[in-house]
Amino acid sequence: MEIRAPRGTYDILPSQSVKWQYIEKILRETAAGFGYREIRTPMFEHTELFERGVGDTTDIVTKEMYSFLDKSSRSLTLRPEGTASCARALIENRIYSGVLPVKWYYTGPMFRYDRPQTGRYRQFHQFGVEVFGSHSPYVDGEVILLLIRMLEKLGLQDCELHLNSVGCPVCRETYRQKLVSFIEPRTAQLCDDCRTRYDKNPLRVLDCKERTCQAAVQGFPHIIDSLCNDCANHYGVVKASLTEMGVAYVEDHNLVRGLDYYTNTAFEVHIPSIGTQSAVGGGGRYDGLVSACGGPATPGIGFALGLERVLLAMDRHPVREWPDLGLDVLLVVLDENLTVNAMHLLDRLRVADIRADRDYNGRSMKAQLKFADKLGARMVVLMGEDEVERGVLPGRSMDTGQQQEVPQEDLIALIKRILA
Ligand code: AMP
């Protein structure tokens, strides 16, 4: 039986990987422009890191982790997200005692045992950023601005920024009690998941996608009305800095993260046109995370962008020209005796940063020209006995069909001229 890729995973074939390279390049450059540097952490970590760093009441930890015992019976987990690993790296490498804040970005695959559908996979890719070591609400503003600028640079327009504040553990507790009293008489209308969530983590009922739950909590009290002075001020500055920078947002009272280490700012960007999985990225402040992972109290804020959804959105608006990473030159070799000459010429072209290749399967001249066309080569260079003897080489543009013969030593200059 044919072996297929596991459910929820897929191959990124070369016709698509050019798009991925392009997206990653733009994101890396934009992050670098905001002062971020790349961190690369392991693809798997001790399971306990995610239990502590993502939270053992979250869906990710209770239902979606790829955990396994290794040969020494240690429980390891394929990373479901990047923030916990960054916090662990900050602690393990004592980065918190150096110059703060640190600004990191990461990109790569994440793994969640989710129900696959459009925009939702079991192995998917994120580009994320984290800032550790600043309480300043202007950092929140800048992090959100970075997300917006990234999406703009990728040419995505119909983005909706959703914003909320979840306060601090103190004001959130006051709110939690208000919310529990509000939900209590309505528990019968909640879905099974929410009946459990209501006990452990009532804020999560607010972001349940079930219609019945959404209807049951209609008119719920908003967390921003329960913020303490400090948290209200923080939120005010974040909003003012976004307005100052011309970034539009909608306040979304359902946008909550129920865990203790999430503080203040929470945000998400949606592109409604990509379907039900419309959140392309989300993040927030997590001043309690580093201490939850066993480090000294260190504030932090970050976001993660889902690259499958970014690509989905970009493909919906095919106005752009994806960069062409195809072949520059196919060397058409007309005689097998010229193999050694061909090897040297190909090497010269490649050393000169010209993307060049040849046929190895004994095709006729006509078939080599067809092959060049299939490969999308922009030029062919013809190499025959006669030309080699005369020390010249004809180059032909595939676009215009124009052909020009030059002395061997002038070939690179000719190619560069034609390609330009
Ligand atoms: P989260 O880490 O859950 O806040 O997710 C951040 C972003 O990652 C989301 O906005 C999505 O774009 C993306 N994402 C999360 N889970 C998946 C998944 N299973 N498949 C594809 N993208 C995902």
Side-chain angles (χ1 to χ4, degrees), residues 81 112 114 119-121 124 126 257 279-282 304-306 309:
E81 53 99 64
R112 295 184 196 172
D114 228 335
R120 202 198 267 173
Y121 303 89
F124 61 99
Q126 287 185 337
R257 293 165 177 251
V280 288
L305 198 54
R309 295 187 196 171

Side-chain angles (χ1 to χ4, degrees), residues 366-415:
K366 203 168 141 208
Q368 287 187 58
L369 290 173
K370 243 195 207 158
F371 184 48
D373 199 40
K374 286 236 170 77
L375 294 179
R378 297 184 49 208
M379 268 187 77
V380 289
V381 169
L382 307 167
M383 182 185 257
E385 292 270 21
D386 171 52
E387 286 85 1
V388 170
E389 254 167 44
R390 290 194 289 127
V392 295
L393 284 166
R396 182 192 298 177
S397 159
M398 295 292 283
D399 297 336
T400 63
Q402 267 186 355
Q403 186 164 318
Q404 195 179 339
E405 195 175 87
V406 288
Q408 280 227 22
E409 55 279 14
D410 296 340
L411 182 68
I412 288 175
L414 172 75
I415 293 173

Side-chain angles (χ1 to χ4, degrees), residues 15 73 80 135 158 166 205 240 277 313 318:
S15 61
S73 297
H135 286 285
D158 51 346
V166 296
V205 174
Q277 305 298 315

Side-chain angles (χ1 to χ4, degrees), residues 318-391:
V319 278
R320 85 202 63 253
E321 292 233 338
W322 291 100
D324 174 22
L325 297 180
L327 209 55
D328 293 325
V329 172
L330 185 84
L331 178 61
V332 174
V333 186
L334 303 176
D335 193 316
E336 256 187 53
N337 299 331
L338 297 175
T339 295
V340 172
N341 302 57
M343 269 162 44
H344 282 290
L345 179 60
L346 269 182
D347 191 47
R348 264 181 60 211
L349 298 184
R350 289 165 176 169
V351 167
D353 291 330
I354 293 166
R355 293 191 290 257
D357 210 346
R358 59 162 294 192
D359 163 55
Y360 285 104
N361 290 357
R363 288 179 167 84
S364 67
M365 172 165 165
K366 203 168 141 208
Q368 287 187 58
L369 290 173
K370 243 195 207 158
F371 184 48
D373 199 40
K374 286 236 170 77
L375 294 179
R378 297 184 49 208
M379 268 187 77
V380 289
V381 169
L382 307 167
M383 182 185 257
E385 292 270 21
D386 171 52
E387 286 85 1
V388 170
E389 254 167 44
R390 290 194 289 127

Side-chain angles (χ1 to χ4, degrees), residues 106-350:
Y106 58 82
T107 186
M110 305 293 161
F111 307 87
R112 295 184 196 172
Y113 193 81
D114 228 335
R115 196 167 50 79
Q117 54 182 282
T118 309
R120 202 198 267 173
Y121 303 89
R122 291 184 173 171
Q123 176 174 333
F124 61 99
H125 299 77
Q126 287 185 337
F127 188 101
V129 310
E130 315 289 351
V131 181
F132 289 104
S134 177
H135 286 285
S136 169
Y138 290 103
V139 170
D140 305 41
E142 196 196 75
V143 164
I144 296 172
L145 186 64
L146 170 60
L147 175 56
I148 299 298
R149 292 288 179 253
M150 284 175 162
L151 296 170
E152 276 173 10
K153 283 210 175 169
L154 292 170
L156 295 173
Q157 277 151 1
D158 51 346
C159 300
E160 264 177 23
L161 172 64
H162 292 219
L163 190 66
N164 198 13
S165 170
V166 296
C168 63
V170 178
C171 53
R172 193 162 48 238
E173 183 49 34
T174 317
Y175 176 68
R176 206 184 81 94
Q177 285 164 14
K178 259 195 216 168
L179 187 63
V180 168
S181 319
F182 176 84
I183 297 177
E184 202 170 13
R186 300 166 165 82
T187 43
Q189 291 139 266
L190 299 179
C191 70
D192 289 349
D193 273 352
C194 278
R195 253 174 265 148
T196 337
R197 280 180 192 143
Y198 159 77
D199 262 354
K200 290 195 206 150
N201 198 342
L203 273 73
R204 295 254 347 265
V205 174
L206 301 181
D207 69 358
C208 179
K209 302 290 174 273
E210 293 289 333
R211 283 244 170 82
T212 48
C213 296
Q214 288 177 357
V217 300
Q218 279 269 327
F220 67 91
H222 297 164
I223 192 164
I224 52 167
D225 298 326
S226 298
L227 299 181
C228 62
N229 279 344
D230 282 354
C231 291
N233 287 338
H234 188 101
Y235 188 45
V237 175
V238 175
K239 288 193 292 185
S241 76
L242 291 174
T243 305
E244 180 61 35
M245 299 311 292
V247 175
Y249 58 84
V250 286
E251 284 194 88
D252 182 345
H253 305 292
N254 294 79
L255 179 56
V256 288
R257 293 165 177 251
L259 299 169
D260 279 353
Y261 46 73
Y262 287 115
T263 49
N264 302 112
T265 315
F267 57 96
E268 259 175 18
V269 170
H270 290 260
I271 301 187
S273 63
I274 62 173
T276 45
Q277 305 298 315
S278 66
V280 288
R285 184 167 269 286
Y286 42 78
D287 288 350
L289 173 67
V290 176
S291 43
C293 293
T298 309
I301 175 165
F303 67 74
L305 198 54
L307 299 189
E308 278 75 7
R309 295 187 196 171
V310 164
L311 185 57
L312 202 62
M314 289 174 80
D315 277 338
R316 288 277 153 120
H317 301 280
V319 278
R320 85 202 63 253
E321 292 233 338
W322 291 100
D324 174 22
L325 297 180
L327 209 55
D328 293 325
V329 172
L330 185 84
L331 178 61
V332 174
V333 186
L334 303 176
D335 193 316
E336 256 187 53
N337 299 331
L338 297 175
T339 295
V340 172
N341 302 57
M343 269 162 44
H344 282 290
L345 179 60
L346 269 182
D347 191 47
R348 264 181 60 211
L349 298 184
R350 289 165 176 169

